[in-house]
Amino acid sequence: MTDYANIASEEAIAAAKQALEANGFAVTIVENAQAAKEAVVNALPKGAEVLTMTSQTLEKTGIAALVNESGDYDSVRGKLNAMYGDESKKGEQRKLGAAPDFAIGSVHAVTQDGHVLVASNTGSQLPAYTYGAGHVIWVVGAQKVVADLTEAQERLEKHVFPLENERSKVAYGGPSSINKVVTFYKEGTPGRIEIFLAKEALGF
């Protein structure tokens, strides 16, 4: 099995960028986590409605805290958290999460031939990513660049899931599960999905 924690080569990163752009994604290569954070700040208008997805990448880079705690943005995550545990708010939570102006998160694999793999336990981030959000920003570490979708699936099952499963046990008191997987072959609205691809390992 490939070591899916290793950062991809410059050639692999360049190939992924070219193929992704041909498929309608906007891609910016950045040097590191700090540069990715700065790129997100530059991409977000002050006061914008933004939903940060649950993501180790966003947590470790400080992007989640920046969006949700700075006061510079209309934090959808803050609104969702305020409703947590209130069964009467479930419908409102789903609607808020499905169609924010901006959705920010990460993905589980990016292929050198221009595709993206995203997996989820609950599926909560998928409506916004696939259609609902006006703009989607993915911050992606270069260790997630793989050759093709076969390797992407292997990376998900053999590398990402074991790490997420352990994190879930600590964070939520129970295991995770690969319940829903979406493959993005192309983005029909060019530039709607913007990828900041960092040349270091970020997240799982």
Side-chain angles (χ1 to χ4, degrees):
M1 187 186 78
T2 302
D3 185 347
Y4 288 118
N6 286 344
I7 297 170
S9 68
E10 293 278 354
E11 292 77 12
I13 293 169
K17 180 180 189 297
Q18 183 177 10
L20 287 163
E21 289 176 336
N23 286 337
F25 303 95
V27 183
T28 301
I29 296 174
V30 297
E31 287 297 317
N32 51 39
Q34 181 59 35
K37 185 176 180 181
E38 292 169 2
V40 169
V41 170
N42 290 334
L44 289 178
K46 287 294 194 300
E49 180 188 62
V50 186
L51 172 58
T52 57
M53 303 303 182
T54 301
S55 162
Q56 288 297 288
T57 297
L58 297 192
E59 294 293 333
K60 300 300 184 182
T61 57
I63 292 170
L66 171 74
V67 170
N68 298 319
E69 300 172 19
S70 67
D72 290 337
Y73 309 100
D74 180 6
S75 168
V76 178
R77 178 61 57 191
K79 296 175 184 177
L80 293 174
N81 288 345
M83 299 177 193
Y84 184 77
D86 186 342
E87 291 298 319
S88 70
K89 300 289 187 180
K90 287 291 188 182
E92 188 176 351
Q93 284 180 301
R94 286 195 301 272
K95 291 175 184 178
L96 276 172
D101 289 339
F102 286 84
I104 302 180
S106 191
V107 304
H108 297 108
V110 171
T111 73
Q112 292 178 49
D113 52 1
H115 308 314
V116 179
L117 193 75
V118 181
S120 180
N121 182 357
T122 66
S124 61
Q125 75 272 47
L126 301 179
Y129 283 174
T130 56
Y131 179 77
H135 306 273
V136 175
I137 296 173
W138 287 329
V139 180
V140 182
Q143 86 280 16
K144 298 181 180 182
V145 176
V146 297
D148 52 32
L149 287 173
T150 298
E151 280 200 359
Q153 188 70 28
E154 184 176 89
R155 182 178 198 280
L156 169 64
E157 294 175 357
K158 296 183 179 180
H159 177 77
V160 177
F161 176 69
L163 294 171
E164 173 58 22
N165 197 44
E166 291 306 310
R167 187 197 73 84
S168 179
K169 291 174 185 177
V170 174
Y172 308 123
S176 186
S177 180
I178 302 173
N179 290 339
K180 299 165 188 179
V181 180
V182 172
T183 301
F184 291 78
Y185 290 92
K186 293 183 177 181
E187 171 49 49
T189 303
R192 173 183 166 266
I193 297 179
E194 187 165 11
I195 302 171
F196 296 126
L197 183 54
K199 294 193 285 186
E200 68 176 26
L202 301 177
F204 296 155

